[in-house]
Amino acid sequence: MKKNTQMTMEEKLNAVRAGVLGSNDGILTVVGVIFSVGAATTNQFTIMVAAVADLFACALSMASGEYASVSAQSDSEKVVVGREKDRLAQNPDAVANDISQFFVNRGVTKQTAAAIATDLMQKAPLETILQCKYNIKLGHYVSPVEAAFSSLFSAAAGGVFPLVAMWLSPLPLKYPMTILATVVAVGLTGWLSARLGHGLPGRAIIRNIVLGLITIAIHFGIGTFF
């Protein structure tokens, strides 16, 4: 079946979710390496090499993880479509009853629900049962490729913030500027995730900043301990 090229809101949000998650992970893993390695050595070249290596590893890991998980979801959706196609061919009355029950559960009378189901079964039976029973829009499946690229790009872009701050700052200010860059980056990620998810921006920003600072403290403590 040919896929509709116009993205649904769910497809767009899937790519956005992967991007936000990738960005946050990229920021925190890179800054974690910077501070844990920095606690063990003062050699700036060693710290930068470790951070760059982690940035690439994190971006690729996030992309591969997103691809695998979203592929599984997409495969499940396609299996559901195939199963409902078979039901329509073998037992259309059962499908009509499912559609009718969907509307009854939403407060429509049985007589009206049956009439709606009959009409929809004549016009678009497969589309209707998928929407009613699984909230799937026929021809639209979450894209593992889009999620992977979104996560890859966002993880790399997010990790660049602390990396560039560490690289460009004068030696006495390297760690304070890295902390500042991390706070700004995770704050922006929190704001973006809240806006896209219609959440609470202030709470999301504070939560991300607190988690970022905790991450820095933990990695610095680990590096100092070892």
Side-chain angles (χ1 to χ4, degrees), residues 33-51:
V33 167
I34 288 174
F35 276 84
S36 58
V37 176
T41 178
T42 57
N43 188 304
Q44 297 301 304
F45 179 76
T46 300
I47 296 171
M48 290 301 298
V49 168

Side-chain angles (χ1 to χ4, degrees), residues 203-224:
R203 182 176 296 179
I205 291 170
I206 293 172
R207 180 172 58 242
N208 269 25
I209 290 175
V210 170
L211 290 174
L213 293 175
I214 290 174
T215 299
I216 292 172
I218 290 174
H219 280 280
F220 185 79
I222 293 173
T224 304

Side-chain angles (χ1 to χ4, degrees), residues 17-94:
R17 175 200 57 78
V20 170
L21 180 62
S23 176
N24 213 47
D25 199 62
I27 296 164
L28 295 181
T29 56
V30 169
V31 77
V33 167
I34 288 174
F35 276 84
S36 58
V37 176
T41 178
T42 57
N43 188 304
Q44 297 301 304
F45 179 76
T46 300
I47 296 171
M48 290 301 298
V49 168
V52 171
D54 177 78
L55 180 60
F56 279 103
C58 172
L60 292 173
S61 174
M62 290 295 296
S64 61
E66 281 293 332
Y67 186 86
S69 63
V70 176
S71 290
Q73 180 182 347
S74 180
D75 291 343
S76 297
E77 291 175 351
K78 292 174 183 177
V79 168
V80 165
V81 172
R83 184 165 63 239
E84 291 302 328
K85 277 185 179 179
D86 292 339
R87 288 185 69 219
L88 276 168
Q90 298 168 8
N91 194 356
D93 289 340

Side-chain angles (χ1 to χ4, degrees), residues 3-226:
K3 182 176 177 178
N4 193 324
T5 56
Q6 186 177 2
M7 292 180 68
T8 63
M9 181 60 68
E10 182 181 358
E11 290 171 309
K12 292 177 182 177
L13 289 177
N14 175 61
V16 169
R17 175 200 57 78
V20 170
L21 180 62
S23 176
N24 213 47
D25 199 62
I27 296 164
L28 295 181
T29 56
V30 169
V31 77
V33 167
I34 288 174
F35 276 84
S36 58
V37 176
T41 178
T42 57
N43 188 304
Q44 297 301 304
F45 179 76
T46 300
I47 296 171
M48 290 301 298
V49 168
V52 171
D54 177 78
L55 180 60
F56 279 103
C58 172
L60 292 173
S61 174
M62 290 295 296
S64 61
E66 281 293 332
Y67 186 86
S69 63
V70 176
S71 290
Q73 180 182 347
S74 180
D75 291 343
S76 297
E77 291 175 351
K78 292 174 183 177
V79 168
V80 165
V81 172
R83 184 165 63 239
E84 291 302 328
K85 277 185 179 179
D86 292 339
R87 288 185 69 219
L88 276 168
Q90 298 168 8
N91 194 356
D93 289 340
V95 176
N97 287 335
D98 287 345
I99 296 172
S100 177
Q101 190 60 44
F102 172 83
F103 289 101
V104 169
N105 292 341
R106 279 150 183 78
V108 179
T109 64
K110 289 185 178 180
Q111 294 79 3
T112 303
I116 294 173
T118 299
D119 184 53
L120 291 173
M121 284 291 290
Q122 293 174 352
K123 294 178 178 177
L126 183 57
E127 290 87 341
T128 301
I129 188 60
L130 291 173
Q131 188 69 44
C132 292
K133 195 172 180 180
Y134 304 100
N135 195 28
I136 294 175
K137 189 171 182 179
L138 185 63
H140 291 268
Y141 310 104
V142 289
S143 171
V145 174
E146 290 169 359
F149 272 107
S150 177
S151 186
L152 176 71
F153 174 79
S154 299
V160 164
F161 276 81
L163 192 62
V164 170
M166 184 72 180
W167 180 30
L168 296 180
S169 301
L171 186 60
L173 298 177
K174 283 188 180 295
Y175 291 109
M177 292 303 294
T178 301
I179 294 174
L180 178 60
T182 301
V183 168
V184 171
V186 295
L188 285 172
T189 301
W191 176 82
L192 180 61
S193 64
R195 288 298 300 270
L196 294 172
H198 304 289
L200 301 174
R203 182 176 296 179
I205 291 170
I206 293 172
R207 180 172 58 242
N208 269 25
I209 290 175
V210 170
L211 290 174
L213 293 175
I214 290 174
T215 299
I216 292 172
I218 290 174
H219 280 280
F220 185 79
I222 293 173
T224 304
F225 179 79
F226 288 102

